[in-house]
Amino acid sequence: MKKLTIIATLGGASLALAACGGSENASEEATADNVEVPADEALEEVTDEPVEEEATAAPAGESEEDLSEVEPPAPVTQEAAESAAENAESVAGEVDSALEALDAEEAVEAAVESSN
């Protein structure tokens, strides 16, 4: 089943790459007309004004001076950090178990396919 997926993915990728070609003749050499002109266009002087990003802008109705009054988050205690670490270890163990079960299921499928 994995081989079929890999072959289908490679086939799709090769078709996607083939579709990107713009030349009518595959043996056509790269010339200044089809290489340098787009590069020159990219290097033209930019006349647009920069725009302030939303992430750095102050929320509506608040000035940047108002943001200086925001309290920083509370420091993390050792107990909270250890609890988070234990939770992460638990989740990692569950993920490992799920991956092992998936590998076992794929092994069973492969064995069934090979016996047919």
Side-chain angles (χ1 to χ4, degrees):
M1 195 67 170
K2 282 186 178 181
K3 290 180 185 178
L4 179 62
T5 304
I6 291 171
I7 291 171
T9 303
L10 290 175
S14 64
L15 289 175
L17 286 174
C20 291
S23 177
E24 296 293 325
N25 184 356
S27 63
E28 181 180 304
E29 292 291 322
T31 62
D33 290 337
N34 61 11
V35 175
E36 292 175 2
V37 173
D40 288 339
E41 291 172 1
L43 295 174
E44 288 179 359
E45 187 175 327
V46 177
T47 58
D48 296 338
E49 294 293 321
V51 178
E52 186 175 358
E53 293 184 26
E54 292 180 23
T56 60
E62 294 185 18
S63 67
E64 292 198 22
E65 295 163 359
D66 294 339
L67 294 177
S68 65
E69 297 173 7
V70 175
E71 294 181 28
V76 178
T77 63
Q78 183 70 24
E79 183 178 305
E82 289 174 357
S83 175
E86 289 173 3
N87 289 340
E89 286 178 11
S90 173
V91 169
E94 291 174 10
V95 169
D96 285 341
S97 297
L99 287 175
E100 289 174 5
L102 182 62
D103 287 342
E105 183 179 320
E106 288 176 358
V108 168
E109 286 178 8
V112 169
E113 285 181 18
S114 66
S115 67
N116 289 336

